[in-house]
Amino acid sequence: MPITFAHPTTADRVTANLRPESIVISPRYAESYSFDRAGRLLSLFLDGRSFQRTLDHRLLVRDKGGDRRRIELPDAERDALLDRAFTTLATLAAALPQAGLPAEQAGPLAEALSLIGRMGPAALAADGAAYRGLFLPVSILPPDQYLALVVQATIGCSWNRCTFCGLYRDRSFRVRGVEEFRQHCQAVRDFFGAGLSLRRGLFLADANALTVPQPRLLDLIQVAQAILGAPDQPRPLFSFVSAFDAGRKSAEDWAALRCLGLSRVYIGLETGDDDLLRFVAKPGDSAAAIQAVRDIKAGGIAVGVIAMIGLGGDRFAEQHVSSTVRAISAMPLDAEDVIYLSAYREAPQTEYPSLAAGAGIRPLAPDEERAQRQAFQAALRARLPNTRVAPYHVEGFAL
Ligand code: SF4
């Protein structure tokens, strides 16, 4: 429900949009706040800058450097900004009765502002603490899953030894028991409350959750769907899997998972070059990845295949592009699928930088990286015209 009126005390033009899944309030020109339906602040635009409030209660703002990195505001700055924002919103709530709005607009807007006021800075801080108690940091999601409802059926990565990847070095791999996972899903449902309406699909985290042996995996997914799915149908379900682990399941296994809602599987191929896979200690080979995608697709599930620009530096550049394009082109991809191009970025406490330097491998310069991305895009679009090729900005990720 879009609502527009003049602010009774400041005369600024106020706009509000009350949607079933979100609330957006703009108390004046070039200032706006968005919330989920639990009244949880998600983002704000203020002083010409866009801020994201993460679920664990940080405020992130784009670095002025121009790349996609975001910096976290110090706590004192965050708190000052939030105090200012909520004072503005409280002033608007107090003035609303004088705005002369028709009852069908005034009522829902007053209700929304009251909800937002109750979820002010102190409540948001407590909400962030509750979130941190519920989740280990969600290290990464695919770009089309940032609004998914994440549940952690497994903790960490079952392999955790790819030399370029630092996503799960802070935790040991384990699979949650069914009862423990049931409690986790119930706590996730209670945490999001009315905010669940904003969450699109269900994402089974962490990495390689689909590596869980099939009987336990089916149990875990049934639990998640019973607690978080729609009453009459499963929520669309998504997850990562490595090509190596995907090969442990048959097309029949995938079809059974499809029946429980599994809609798309994201495969971190990184490269289709077997020499480079060995160099970065990624298990499996390109033939296994191709077969895994065939089986997944035969089970009726879409895939997202992720290749990493710049991996292997100058030494592997040529064979990385040609072998990866060849491998991806051999996969039966269609319009349901997507190919993501991420870019290698050095991760703390990983072995790859020193191993690459020791092998005399030079990282790609920015213009070489750009050229490699263009080479990938051109070749993949020519060979797979029906499949979307999209960027994957790993460095900008935060929930
Ligand atoms: S790249 Fe994937 S499989 Fe390799 S360590 Fe990272 S999360 Fe695990």
Side-chain angles (χ1 to χ4, degrees):
M1 180 197 292
I3 302 171
T4 305
F5 58 99
H7 196 300
T9 43
T10 64
D12 286 311
R13 184 172 180 270
V14 180
T15 60
N17 200 349
L18 311 182
R19 298 193 189 103
E21 72 286 357
S22 66
I23 301 166
V24 180
I25 309 274
S26 170
R28 61 174 70 96
Y29 174 71
E31 180 173 336
S32 81
Y33 306 94
S34 67
F35 308 84
D36 69 12
R37 272 293 174 176
R40 184 178 284 118
L41 179 66
L42 300 173
S43 65
L44 47 157
F45 184 74
L46 197 56
D47 301 335
R49 301 181 87 184
S50 293
F51 300 86
Q52 177 193 356
R53 178 187 167 272
T54 61
L55 290 168
D56 61 1
H57 197 49
R58 293 172 293 139
L59 271 193
L60 305 182
V61 63
R62 190 82 67 214
D63 192 2
K64 283 180 178 153
D67 62 16
R68 298 191 67 84
R69 269 184 320 125
R70 286 184 292 182
I71 51 170
E72 182 180 335
L73 287 197
D75 289 356
E77 266 184 62
R78 172 199 62 196
D79 294 345
L81 205 68
L82 291 182
D83 280 344
R84 206 177 118 202
F86 278 88
T87 300
T88 302
L89 292 164
T91 305
L92 176 62
L96 195 60
Q98 283 80 54
L101 286 172
E104 65 274 18
Q105 293 186 342
L109 182 54
E111 215 173 283
L113 285 166
S114 164
L115 174 70
I116 288 164
R118 290 196 300 278
M119 200 65 171
L124 286 175
D127 194 67
Y131 177 85
R132 288 193 298 277
L134 193 51
F135 289 96
L136 271 88
V138 177
S139 307
I140 191 71
L141 286 177
D144 57 341
Q145 294 298 324
Y146 288 177
L147 277 179
L149 187 59
V150 177
V151 284
Q152 289 175 317
T154 58
I155 305 297
C157 168
S158 55
W159 175 247
N160 221 8
R161 275 177 272 171
C162 299
T163 58
F164 60 88
C165 171
L167 291 173
Y168 302 100
R169 297 285 175 104
D170 62 343
R171 61 197 84 167
S172 305
F173 181 75
R174 75 180 180 89
V175 180
R176 280 198 150 123
V178 173
E179 200 41 50
E180 181 194 358
F181 186 57
R182 186 190 314 281
Q183 287 172 19
H184 174 68
C185 290
Q186 285 165 342
V188 169
R189 179 194 59 197
D190 296 346
F191 171 80
F192 281 101
L196 279 177
S197 57
L198 185 65
R199 305 285 144 187
R200 301 240 173 85
L202 197 55
F203 196 90
L204 205 64
D206 278 335
N208 284 350
L210 296 175
T211 195
V212 176
Q214 186 78 351
R216 169 85 75 92
L217 182 59
L218 295 175
D219 285 349
L220 292 172
I221 294 176
Q222 271 162 347
V223 162
Q225 291 289 12
I227 296 168
L228 297 162
D232 48 351
Q233 58 180 2
R235 243 181 219 261
L237 180 77
F238 306 88
S239 194
F240 283 121
V241 73
S242 77
F244 178 68
D245 289 300
R248 298 173 201 257
K249 295 205 188 296
S250 64
E252 291 72 31
D253 289 334
W254 292 113
L257 293 166
R258 173 77 194 110
C259 291
L260 293 183
L262 189 61
S263 301
R264 174 174 287 152
V265 172
Y266 299 86
I267 300 177
L269 174 71
E270 323 303 357
T271 179
D273 185 69
D274 291 342
D275 293 338
L276 183 52
L277 282 170
R278 275 191 293 278
F279 182 74
V280 299
K282 183 120 193 165
D285 57 24
S286 56
I290 295 165
Q291 187 57 47
V293 170
R294 286 184 182 145
D295 289 342
I296 293 167
K297 296 282 295 170
I301 297 168
V303 296
V305 181
I306 304 153
M308 188 178 278
I309 310 289
L311 195 65
D314 64 336
R315 166 83 57 83
F316 286 93
E318 220 176 291
Q319 67 192 82
H320 175 37
V321 174
S322 58
S323 304
T324 305
V325 168
R326 197 178 316 119
I328 294 178
S329 305
M331 296 173 179
L333 303 185
D334 55 39
E336 297 286 299
D337 306 307
V338 57
I339 301 163
Y340 282 120
L341 300 177
S342 69
Y344 171 72
R345 294 289 177 264
E346 188 173 322
Q349 295 167 349
T350 53
E351 303 82 5
Y352 176 87
S354 59
L355 289 173
I361 291 172
R362 178 180 59 76
L364 295 191
D367 60 328
E368 292 172 314
E369 184 183 301
R370 230 179 349 265
Q372 189 173 97
R373 180 178 293 278
Q374 284 162 359
F376 267 119
Q377 284 170 338
L380 290 167
R381 284 177 180 148
R383 294 187 186 210
L384 296 159
N386 297 323
T387 304
R388 195 160 61 92
V389 181
Y392 188 162
H393 297 292
V394 176
E395 62 274 29
F397 178 78
L399 271 190

